[in-house]
């Protein structure tokens, strides 16, 4: 077991990825940077996260600065990263650290887990990388590496338990944070889902799947469920160079984000007809339907949306609605799904 950590750390010292939130090997990382990057990296690629991470640090260099920002500003800057509950929890967590921990991150995995939006993985990652606690860090990449190293035959998600236990077994007490990051890098660049580059792998001689020649069989996954398609119609109501937007309720999908008023997003065979959609329109006007459809995929479903365009005779007040200049629409922080819908108005 000790040999695995030794080989991997030696490889990391030479081959590690240089990422804006990382410190040099052996140096203590800033917990704010680790936390921010780890929250952003959930469900999002490193390439996409880099520019968001740098922008957030420019705007809010410390957790105290972030705590003092209005939630709306944080959501606006998060726009495009998706999974907006992360942004709401990020802000809530910053406020809690500021209020209850004097602006300092708690230093143990157990304490970190008590904070909003910090689950098992993020708590372990911060504890290991910023505070040198030998916590077992398991993300998707590490899950793959460990399941191959030990040929773990259980199917995910049941396999998570033995994977975590094996990760704990191989996590060293010295440089646990570098070890976790080395495992992430190995999974991302060497132990890839298809065609792992075993010849370049520093722990090849310890790998059970490589010996058996069935690396790609791991991790064993349950068959994929088919995603349902929900359909809706959105409303583009215009007046004097402005469009009516909706501030979505805080709770639920895309909570707190701006968007367009829409019919409910429901599973059905086609987008609702004008007569059906009218009941959900924010105003009674001569709605014109476009032929095109915007498509977007969420974690659990696909969404197909048509757009109805209409003119308002004045800037009417609608509950949760607000008017925004059309030529500044890109500044309002529309989630990607609504940016796609907005393009239908062109
Ligand atoms: Fe992954 Fe191959 Fe290394 Fe095993 S030997 S951990 S399958 S890259």
């Amino acid at each position: 077991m000790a040999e695995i950590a030794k080989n991997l750390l030696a490889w990391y010292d030479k081959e590690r990825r240089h990422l804006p939130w990382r410190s040099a090997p052996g140096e203590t990382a800033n917990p704010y940077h680790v936390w921010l990057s780890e929250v952003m990296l959930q469900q999002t690629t490193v390439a996409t996260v880099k520019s968001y991470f740098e922008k957030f640090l420019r705007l809010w260099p410390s957790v105290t600065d972030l705590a003092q920002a209005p939630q709306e500003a944080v959501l606006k800057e998060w726009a495009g990263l998706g999974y907006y509950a992360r942004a709401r929890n990020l802000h809530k967590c910053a406020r809690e650290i500021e209020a209850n921990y004097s602006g300092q991150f708690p230093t143990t995995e157990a304490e970190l887990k008590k904070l909003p939006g910090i689950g098992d993985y993020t708590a372990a990652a911060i504890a290991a990388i910023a505070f040198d606690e030998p916590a077992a860090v398991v993300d998707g990449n590490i899950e793959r590496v460990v399941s191959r190293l030990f040929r773990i035959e259980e199917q995910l998600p049941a396999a998570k338990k033995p994977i975590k236990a094996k990760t704990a077994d191989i996590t060293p007490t010295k440089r646990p944070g570098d070890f976790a990051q080395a495992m992430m890098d190995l999974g991302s660049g060497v132990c890839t889902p298809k065609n792992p580059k075993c010849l370049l792998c520093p722990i090849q001689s310890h790998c059970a799947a490589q010996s058996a020649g069935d690396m790609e069989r791991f991790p064993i996954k349950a068959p994929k469920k088919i995603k349902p398609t929900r359909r809706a119609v959105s409303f583009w109501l215009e007046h004097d160079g402005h469009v009516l937007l909706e501030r979505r309720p805080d709770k639920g999908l895309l909570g707190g984000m701006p968007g367009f008023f829409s019919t409910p997003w429901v599973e059905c065979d086609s987008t609702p007809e004008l007569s059906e959609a009218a009941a959900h329109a924010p105003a009674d006007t001569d709605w014109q339907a476009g032929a095109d459809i915007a498509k977007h995929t969420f974690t659990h479903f696909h969404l197909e949306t048509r757009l109805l365009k209409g003119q308002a005779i004045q800037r009417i007040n609608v509950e949760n609605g607000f008017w925004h200049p059309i030529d500044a629409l890109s500044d309002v922080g529309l989630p990607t799904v609504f940016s796609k819908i907005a393009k239908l108005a062109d």
Side-chain angles (χ1 to χ4, degrees):
M1 293 291 184
E3 187 89 352
I4 293 177
K6 194 174 140 223
N7 293 356
L8 199 66
L9 285 167
W11 172 83
Y12 181 70
D13 290 342
K14 284 192 285 203
E15 306 288 344
R16 73 199 182 94
R17 287 178 293 177
H18 293 266
L19 301 171
W21 45 88
R22 280 196 180 167
S23 57
E27 274 181 21
T28 317
N30 180 324
Y32 176 55
H33 296 184
V34 178
W35 167 68
L36 189 59
S37 62
E38 289 299 346
V39 174
M40 286 181 168
L41 284 164
Q42 289 159 23
Q43 321 276 352
T44 313
T45 63
V46 165
T48 306
V49 165
K50 277 183 185 171
S51 62
Y52 280 87
F53 175 80
E54 281 161 356
K55 177 176 70 175
F56 266 62
L57 275 200
R58 258 196 325 276
L59 292 167
W60 303 298
S62 69
V63 71
T64 302
D65 298 316
L66 186 63
Q68 286 167 357
Q71 189 199 56
E72 218 171 288
V74 176
L75 290 177
K76 184 179 158 201
E77 298 304 335
W78 191 273
L81 265 183
Y83 301 95
Y84 293 90
R86 290 182 299 167
R88 291 194 302 278
N89 278 330
L90 188 88
H91 189 244
K92 210 164 144 194
C93 182
R95 293 209 155 162
E96 193 154 325
I97 291 171
E98 186 59 15
N100 299 334
Y101 297 86
S102 313
Q104 302 296 317
F105 276 82
T107 58
T108 63
E109 185 184 2
E111 271 298 307
L112 285 159
K113 254 195 262 186
K114 294 179 188 165
L115 291 167
I118 298 195
D120 290 355
Y121 165 73
T122 312
I126 301 170
I129 300 169
F131 299 115
D132 261 347
E133 182 181 328
V137 181
V138 186
D139 71 353
N141 279 325
I142 297 176
E143 204 164 77
R144 185 168 58 255
V145 175
V146 173
S147 65
R148 288 174 178 177
L149 262 181
F150 298 98
R151 283 185 94 237
I152 292 177
E153 290 287 353
E154 281 99 325
Q155 192 177 75
L156 283 169
K160 284 183 181 289
K161 217 171 160 189
I163 289 174
K164 178 105 177 166
K166 287 292 184 193
T167 308
D169 289 346
I170 59 174
T171 298
T173 48
K174 276 193 185 144
R175 300 181 64 192
D178 285 347
F179 175 80
Q181 293 177 107
M183 290 284 277
M184 292 172 193
D185 287 7
L186 190 77
S188 148
V190 177
C191 193
T192 45
K194 296 262 172 259
N195 303 318
K197 303 174 190 74
C198 300
L199 289 175
L200 302 176
C201 179
I203 50 176
Q204 185 196 351
S205 60
H206 300 276
C207 182
Q210 206 275 332
S211 295
D214 58 358
M215 300 81 79
E216 286 187 16
R217 202 160 71 79
F218 301 94
I220 299 174
K221 292 182 177 160
K224 273 196 180 151
K225 283 190 193 143
I226 296 171
K227 277 188 197 183
T229 299
R230 297 184 189 175
R231 295 182 170 87
V233 160
S234 291
F235 301 96
W236 175 281
L237 187 64
E238 223 177 293
H239 178 75
D240 191 23
H242 287 66
V243 64
L244 181 68
L245 297 177
E246 177 192 25
R247 176 70 58 192
R248 294 173 65 84
D250 265 349
K251 290 231 168 359
L253 188 65
L254 307 171
M257 300 301 292
F260 296 104
F261 285 95
S262 301
T263 59
W265 299 357
V266 288
E267 264 182 74
C268 52
D269 295 334
S270 60
T271 53
E273 291 305 322
L274 179 53
S275 53
E276 246 179 286
H280 302 275
D284 191 10
T285 188
D286 180 21
W287 292 105
Q288 301 293 320
D292 292 339
I293 285 181
K295 295 183 180 181
H296 188 75
T297 296
F298 292 94
T299 318
H300 300 297
F301 63 94
H302 304 289
L303 179 71
E304 292 187 4
T305 316
R306 270 190 316 136
L307 190 69
L308 293 181
K309 288 178 76 173
Q311 293 286 337
I313 44 170
Q314 57 181 6
R315 282 202 219 167
I316 51 163
N317 288 326
V318 178
E319 197 184 343
N320 299 326
F322 65 102
W323 292 87
H324 193 81
I326 293 169
D327 58 9
L329 205 52
S330 58
D331 299 337
V332 76
L334 284 180
T336 307
V337 60
F338 290 115
S339 295
K340 289 180 183 173
I341 294 169
K343 284 208 178 91
L344 299 179
D346 288 349

